[in-house]
Amino acid sequence: MSDDALFAWDCETYSEKDTRRANPYACTLINLEKLRKMLNRINNLFPDLKSSDPLPEEFYDKLMNVVEIFVGTDCIDQMLKYLGQYDRKRLILISHNGSGFDNWIVLKNAKKLMHCPLKTPRGILSFPLSNPYTDEDLQKKWKRQKEIKGNYLQHINFTCSYQHESSSLAAWGNSSNLPANLRKIADVDIAIYTQDNWEKLRHEWEPYAKRDTLCLGACLIKYNQVTKEVVNQNMSNNLTAPSLSLKGWYYLYHYDKEMVEEEWYETTRMVAKHTEKENVEKVYSHTNPFIRNFIRRSIKGTRCSANRKSFEMNKMDEICNVLKEYISQSESNNIIDLFKEYSASTKDKTEVHSRLKKIEYTKLMAFDANGLYASAMSDLDSEYPRAESGRPFLPEEEKRICETLQ
């Protein structure tokens, strides 16, 4: 998704005295496309501006005015009403540590849920929402467009940048070399703002809240620019850094990247262009529906493995033959059964290890996948569901198998 459909946002809350429940009193929001254009304009006007230098005060004030702020205990609804007037069917709102805090605030304050949040041990990674405040004229417009299916309410997905950059927002701003007055204000204690004083102290927390959102938006722009140039991906379609690296590897494997010239304001610039490679053996990755199902099941904590029953290579047969020679009494051709017998055997395995290491197995990843994270949870008393078919490897078995194949 392009930057005009991406927003950086944040919410400020106070804790109730008795229940300690967090209640929102303000939300801040900025569109990444609008922010990117303003930052590019500043860079063009001040080409000698160093990363550590603050922005000129007049431009800093303009940036602060670009940040939308919604104040009151109904600030979530105010923000959704504002977005409902925005002419984009799908939007993504990104907050830092949204999985651990901000997304929960939206969940608690959303009046009607039409979609199921993606919750893992990391928190709420994704919280999709159909905007009940979608403008009626926009709904009619989208209804006339044949490529748009389903309901005609605006679709908003709340995600988390902390799954990509696990440092604090202040540290992220520093490592991104943002201008000094765009970095997070670190010396503000937000705990002092309570149900009784947040309204009269607005002059103190409002600059802090807007600055936080500016810092996050600038970090997201830099992050998305780099990842798009390198692997043709950005944060919009990758909930976590591992998923971005998986898809990035896939694109690097299947596509060539070349730099082409395009118009840029009154001059030109070089941008990356990706073209599909020819005569490349296809790899089963996130683009394959079966693998996607495996990943989705594995990420939620179920123990599962994905294995194709037919192989274009005979490497598995070679491995089975080596193991069968070692286990002389075995009649099975099933790789799982052979590994069980091999693991239980107390005979010397030095020769087997040597022969297995000589087998070229680099392409096994093209058709085999195992949920290592999920199978590590194979405690018999675990709260997670049991495997649907067959017994999963215990951690020590899986470790021995991996060591053997290495």
Side-chain angles (χ1 to χ4, degrees), residues 9-23:
W9 82 288
D10 188 24
C11 76
E12 306 300 328
T13 63
Y14 64 83
S15 296
E16 293 181 352
K17 293 180 180 179
D18 299 328
T19 63
R20 303 297 295 171
R21 178 185 175 183
N23 292 317

Side-chain angles (χ1 to χ4, degrees), residues 241-252:
S243 65
L244 188 145
S245 63
L246 170 65
K247 293 182 182 180
W249 167 84
Y250 178 86
Y251 276 96
L252 289 178

Side-chain angles (χ1 to χ4, degrees), residues 284-303:
Y284 287 88
S285 181
H286 65 283
T287 58
N288 181 274
F290 185 75
I291 299 298
R292 290 179 71 86
N293 179 61
F294 158 74
I295 294 173
R296 286 174 176 171
R297 289 179 58 193
S298 179
I299 197 174
K300 293 182 180 180
T302 56
R303 298 186 292 272

Side-chain angles (χ1 to χ4, degrees), residues 189-250:
D189 182 13
I190 60 173
I192 65 174
Y193 305 117
T194 65
Q195 183 176 2
D196 300 325
N197 65 12
W198 68 264
E199 289 184 88
K200 59 184 178 183
L201 295 178
R202 177 173 176 174
H203 63 282
E204 292 184 8
W205 58 257
E206 183 173 340
Y208 163 83
K210 287 188 173 183
R211 178 84 161 261
D212 263 18
T213 308
L214 275 178
C215 179
L216 176 59
C219 289
L220 292 175
I221 289 171
K222 283 203 166 188
Y223 184 91
N224 285 342
Q225 284 178 339
V226 171
T227 54
K228 187 172 182 179
E229 289 176 4
V230 177
V231 292
N232 201 31
Q233 297 287 312
N234 67 12
M235 202 178 292
S236 66
N237 60 335
N238 296 280
L239 294 180
T240 63
S243 65
L244 188 145
S245 63
L246 170 65
K247 293 182 182 180
W249 167 84
Y250 178 86

